[in-house]
Amino acid sequence: MTQNSSLACYACDPALSRGRRYPEPAAPTRTDYQRDRDRIVHSSAFRRLVYKTQVFLNHEGDLFRTRLTHSLEVAQLGRSIARSLRINEDLVEAISLAHDLGHTPFGHAGQDALNGCMQAHGGFEHNLQSLRVVDYLEERYPDYDGINLTFETREGVLKHCSQANAQRLEANEPGGVGARFLCKEQPSLEAQLCNLADEIAYNAHDIDDGVRSGLITLAQLAEVPLFDQFRRVAQAEHPHLAGAAMERRLLYETIRRMLSAQVYDVIHATSAALAHAAPRTVADVRVAGALVSFSAPMRAQSSELKRFLFKNLYRHPQVVETTGRAQRVVTELFAAYVAEPREMKPRFTHRALEGDAPARARAVADFIAGMTDRFAVREHERLTGQRLLG
């Protein structure tokens, strides 16, 4: 299937894709990036995101964001911006839906704990783990591991990568997804956009979840210009939103306006950057420096919001206390499985028993990273007799 001709010359065209690791015939009704999106949606790892923490652990409330709802919000924001920039919406959606497939249970607390456990064996990076999921850990096809995504989707999934891991990737796949980190090049505009849509989404929904949880208040948010300017305008236009009974509606209206302002800012700033750089191809994009961005004033305001959330939400004593218990679950699971690999599922047990110490540790990390919050809690209780989380 051919791509819509309305794409800009610097957008990724699936007809010009660098292809899949295992060649396949084209589909008659879908482009390659649409097929990538569909494969991601049907993967086991994608379904597990519904029970993986964003900020608040799954048992703490039914309405808090999870990794799944976060990924959907990133995809929605990304597609909206991509349409205005005339870049490939389907590729943006595929990358957005896949970018957190490798995230551990318990959010960044689990990632930090697993990285600590793996320090002697190359560490743990959740972006690299997302690539491992789509390249190796999914088992859906008879003749190869992974779900055989296109180069462009895989490249976008690998948002960050250490130099050492990029070198390992390059050794296994010369000129592949690790090369840009070694050559200091940029990924596609679609991948750049997903990075920024991720930031926009989590800043907005962490405000929502933080207020819903009671850990931050609208009064505290008055010190955040990016939020408060839209709260004041919303309240002026809708005076009936004053008072505690209408606080939820005021919060939603403020976040809606804040999101819209950020989206329009990205469109305008990126359009200006594209006009200045004048790329004619995807290859031009790669050597042009970062092109998808906020304006300088919006970047400053977004950074101030992130600092507020870090101080008042992510480092709130209640969150930190839960984080500590979650990290203990991951650390103790890792030690238990390394000591006795037969406690894992058979395919991970086989890898652990057949390999050397680094291979055993990596098999354990793969097993733990794939867990949902509640499965990790149950496994920890089974192995230790302790229930650390609700």
Side-chain angles (χ1 to χ4, degrees):
M1 179 178 177
T2 58
Q3 177 61 47
N4 190 315
S5 60
S6 66
L7 283 179
C9 59
Y10 42 71
C12 284
D13 184 341
L16 302 175
S17 170
R18 287 177 54 176
R20 306 180 187 276
R21 297 168 76 214
Y22 305 98
E24 300 180 24
T29 60
R30 294 173 296 163
T31 71
D32 278 346
Y33 301 149
Q34 290 168 346
R35 294 178 79 188
D36 282 358
R37 175 203 58 210
D38 296 348
R39 291 177 181 200
I40 291 159
V41 168
H42 288 286
S43 69
S44 299
F46 185 74
R47 292 194 297 276
R48 286 196 294 268
L49 295 180
V50 73
Y51 294 117
K52 288 195 176 190
T53 291
Q54 182 62 28
V55 172
F56 295 94
L57 300 189
N58 187 251
H59 69 271
E60 294 183 294
D62 292 340
L63 297 180
F64 295 127
R65 266 70 169 191
T66 65
R67 287 284 158 188
L68 179 63
T69 55
H70 165 69
S71 298
L72 294 172
E73 291 182 25
V74 174
Q76 180 270 316
L77 285 167
R79 288 199 72 136
S80 295
I81 297 170
R83 193 172 307 125
S84 292
L85 295 175
R86 295 174 55 224
I87 60 178
N88 199 297
E89 289 185 53
D90 296 323
L91 178 56
V92 168
E93 184 175 31
I95 296 170
S96 298
L97 295 178
H99 82 282
D100 269 351
L101 292 181
H103 225 298
T104 61
F106 314 124
H108 288 285
Q111 173 184 272
D112 292 344
L114 197 51
N115 183 45
C117 293
M118 288 294 293
Q119 278 305 295
H121 307 291
F124 178 88
E125 299 175 8
H126 86 264
N127 293 119
L128 184 61
Q129 190 69 17
S130 295
L131 185 67
R132 285 179 62 77
V133 168
V134 300
D135 279 358
Y136 302 111
L137 297 178
E138 281 289 316
E139 295 181 312
R140 305 190 68 83
Y141 295 94
D143 297 324
Y144 53 78
D145 293 331
I147 53 178
N148 201 29
L149 302 181
T150 61
F151 170 87
E152 293 78 17
T153 300
R154 295 172 59 237
E155 179 188 50
V157 166
L158 194 60
K159 178 179 176 181
H160 302 296
C161 187
S162 68
Q163 189 80 357
N165 281 326
Q167 289 169 346
R168 280 190 279 269
L169 288 171
E170 180 67 10
N172 291 327
E173 183 187 2
V177 294
R180 74 177 180 88
F181 298 98
L182 303 176
C183 299
K184 310 301 182 186
E185 292 182 349
Q186 295 295 320
S188 67
L189 291 171
E190 289 81 0
Q192 293 181 42
L193 174 55
C194 289
N195 293 345
L196 197 51
D198 184 26
E199 176 183 337
I200 295 170
Y202 69 65
N203 279 343
H205 62 52
D206 287 356
I207 290 175
D208 186 5
D209 286 351
V211 173
R212 180 184 295 277
S213 71
L215 299 188
I216 57 176
T217 65
L218 286 180
Q220 286 177 292
L221 284 160
E223 68 185 71
V224 182
L226 181 57
F227 179 87
D228 197 55
Q229 62 183 304
F230 297 108
R231 181 200 61 77
R232 285 186 279 105
V233 172
Q235 206 154 16
E237 291 184 12
H238 304 281
H240 65 284
L241 294 182
M246 290 292 183
E247 184 176 271
R248 175 65 43 187
R249 289 177 187 257
L250 177 60
L251 175 66
Y252 288 152
E253 179 62 14
T254 304
I255 291 174
R256 183 184 69 79
R257 290 168 183 251
M258 186 181 77
L259 281 171
S260 294
Q262 289 178 294
V263 165
Y264 298 142
D265 183 88
V266 171
I267 292 170
H268 294 148
T270 302
S271 296
L274 287 167
H276 177 74
R280 301 300 302 168
T281 65
V282 175
D284 292 341
V285 167
R286 295 183 179 281
V287 296
L291 294 172
V292 180
S293 66
F294 286 130
S295 66
M298 184 61 79
R299 166 51 63 199
Q301 289 192 323
S302 177
S303 297
E304 190 168 359
L305 170 57
K306 287 199 287 188
R307 287 192 294 270
F308 171 87
L309 290 171
F310 187 86
K311 175 184 175 183
N312 295 283
L313 181 59
Y314 311 142
R315 287 294 177 260
H316 189 284
Q318 183 175 319
V319 173
V320 170
E321 192 273 335
T322 305
T323 293
R325 285 184 283 147
Q327 290 180 324
R328 183 178 162 193
V329 168
V330 170
T331 301
E332 293 180 358
L333 280 175
F334 186 88
Y337 293 137
V338 168
E340 184 42 82
R342 291 177 181 82
E343 296 291 348
M344 297 189 292
K345 291 183 178 179
R347 70 185 182 107
F348 295 96
T349 294
H350 176 75
R351 281 177 49 203
L353 292 177
E354 291 296 313
D356 56 11
R360 175 178 290 207
R362 187 59 61 185
V364 171
D366 286 341
F367 185 48
I368 293 174
M371 292 180 176
T372 62
D373 291 14
R374 60 186 187 176
F375 181 73
V377 169
R378 287 200 304 267
E379 276 290 278
H380 182 266
E381 184 175 13
R382 179 179 72 84
L383 293 170
T384 67
Q386 303 174 70
R387 190 168 185 84
L388 297 183
L389 296 162

